Amino acid sequence: MIHQTELRDLLPGMVPFPNDVFPADQAWLSQHLLPLLKIDLGVLRPELAGQVATMLCPIEPYEGCIGDNTEDQHNDFTGSNWIAFELTADDRMRFLGNEGYFQGDAVEDEGGRTHVAEMRDSHAKAKAYFQQHSKLASYSRYGDGEPREHAFLDTLGGPISWGNWTETAEIPPAFEISILPVMHERDRAADMEDVTVTRDGHKFFAVAEVAGYNWCAAGADAIVMLYEPVSRTVLFSFDWS
C-alpha cells in the first residue's frame, strides 16, 4: 500500500490545475468547484492505471459546512459536508447531486460574496505561480499577501484514518460508514484502517488529503478524497479541525 505525506514532487499522471474536468452538461460545476490536481489512480492501485480522478476544492462554504443551507436539495449521494461524483469513462467528474445543492452566487451577505471572489482569485494566482515556478503556492487570506509554497498533497494513499469529517454530519444514504474503537498503537497493524466506507458493500480506499488553503485563500483543514472502483464513485468529505 502506497502511503506518502507532504507530496512536493508530482508523480506520473498528476496534473495540477487541470482543465476539462466536468462533463459538458455539467459545465456549471466550475462555478462551485475549483480543480486542484488530477491523480492517475494507478499510482495507488496498478489495476486502475488510466483512471484519472480530480481533487476538488469547493468554493463554499463561507461559514459552516457545504450543503448546510440547501437541505431540500440533498439526495442519496450528497449531504452536509459530503459530495459524490461518478468518474466517467473519459475521466470527467460527474456530480451525483442536484445543481441546487450549491448556493453559488445566490449567497446574499457581503462576506459570502467576498469569500467567493477571493477563492476564485487566489486559485487563479496559484495557477499562474505554478506555471512560472512549477511549485504550488497559495495566497492565503491569513498571510501577508505573498505566495507561500506548500505540498501538492498532505497525504497520498495509506489507510483511511479517523478525523472530524467522519462525525461532523451523517453520511448520505447511498453509503455506509463504520469506525473502529480507539486502539493503542501497539495493538494496531501498520495498514489498519480506522474507518470503513462502502457503497453497495464495496469498499472505498483513500486517495488523498490536502488542506484547501494549500491551494486557495481558505478551505477545509483536510479535503478527504475516497474512491470506490466498482461504481467508479469519488467521494469527498471535509475535516474542519
Side-chain angles (χ1 to χ4, degrees):
M1 176 188 295
I2 189 172
H3 186 194
Q4 295 190 23
T5 58
E6 292 289 310
L7 187 75
R8 292 180 178 269
D9 296 314
L10 295 170
L11 300 180
M14 291 185 172
V15 179
F17 304 101
N19 299 314
D20 302 323
V21 170
F22 306 114
D25 62 337
Q26 289 189 334
W28 48 266
L29 285 168
S30 63
Q31 299 300 309
H32 309 292
L33 299 160
L34 300 171
L36 305 184
L37 183 68
K38 279 192 172 183
I39 303 171
D40 189 318
L41 299 170
V43 302
L44 297 170
R45 296 193 176 184
E47 69 273 17
L48 299 181
Q51 294 186 34
V52 183
T54 303
M55 171 68 82
L56 301 170
C57 180
I59 292 174
E60 303 168 29
Y62 170 55
E63 294 180 326
C65 294
I66 190 170
D68 276 355
N69 298 317
T70 56
E71 289 186 2
D72 59 332
Q73 294 291 325
H74 294 182
N75 66 5
D76 284 353
F77 300 96
T78 60
S80 292
N81 214 46
W82 294 92
I83 53 176
F85 299 79
E86 176 194 352
L87 184 63
T88 67
D90 59 350
D91 294 327
R92 304 297 178 98
M93 299 283 283
R94 175 171 293 281
F95 184 50
L96 295 176
N98 303 317
E99 184 172 359
Y101 174 85
F102 299 99
Q103 286 188 281
D105 292 329
V107 173
E108 295 180 356
D109 63 284
E110 185 62 31
R113 288 194 294 268
T114 299
H115 169 81
V116 169
E118 190 177 16
M119 289 292 285
R120 291 172 178 162
D121 180 63
S122 61
H123 182 259
K125 286 181 177 178
K127 181 176 182 179
Y129 187 96
F130 173 78
Q131 290 171 338
Q132 183 175 358
H133 302 285
S134 299
K135 299 288 186 181
L136 176 65
S138 72
Y139 291 77
S140 170
R141 69 168 56 140
Y142 309 110
D144 55 7
E146 295 298 316
R148 179 179 178 185
E149 292 187 358
H150 292 283
F152 291 101
L153 296 172
D154 294 328
T155 303
L156 175 68
I160 302 178
S161 300
W162 182 89
N164 291 340
W165 63 275
T166 62
E167 299 176 334
T168 297
E170 187 174 356
I171 198 167
F175 312 109
E176 293 186 354
I177 187 170
S178 61
I179 304 171
L180 283 177
V182 176
M183 298 177 64
H184 195 282
E185 282 297 321
R186 67 169 180 267
D187 298 322
R188 297 174 56 85
D191 61 350
M192 181 176 288
E193 295 190 320
D194 297 326
V195 182
T196 299
V197 180
T198 60
R199 177 180 178 184
D200 299 326
H202 301 292
K203 288 182 61 175
F204 285 82
F205 65 85
V207 177
E209 295 185 15
V210 70
Y213 44 78
N214 275 28
W215 295 75
C216 304
D221 295 296
I223 303 169
V224 179
M225 181 180 181
L226 310 175
Y227 186 66
E228 194 287 289
V230 176
S231 62
R232 295 175 65 101
T233 303
V234 185
L235 181 62
F236 291 95
S237 189
F238 309 92
D239 194 278
W240 302 93
S241 298

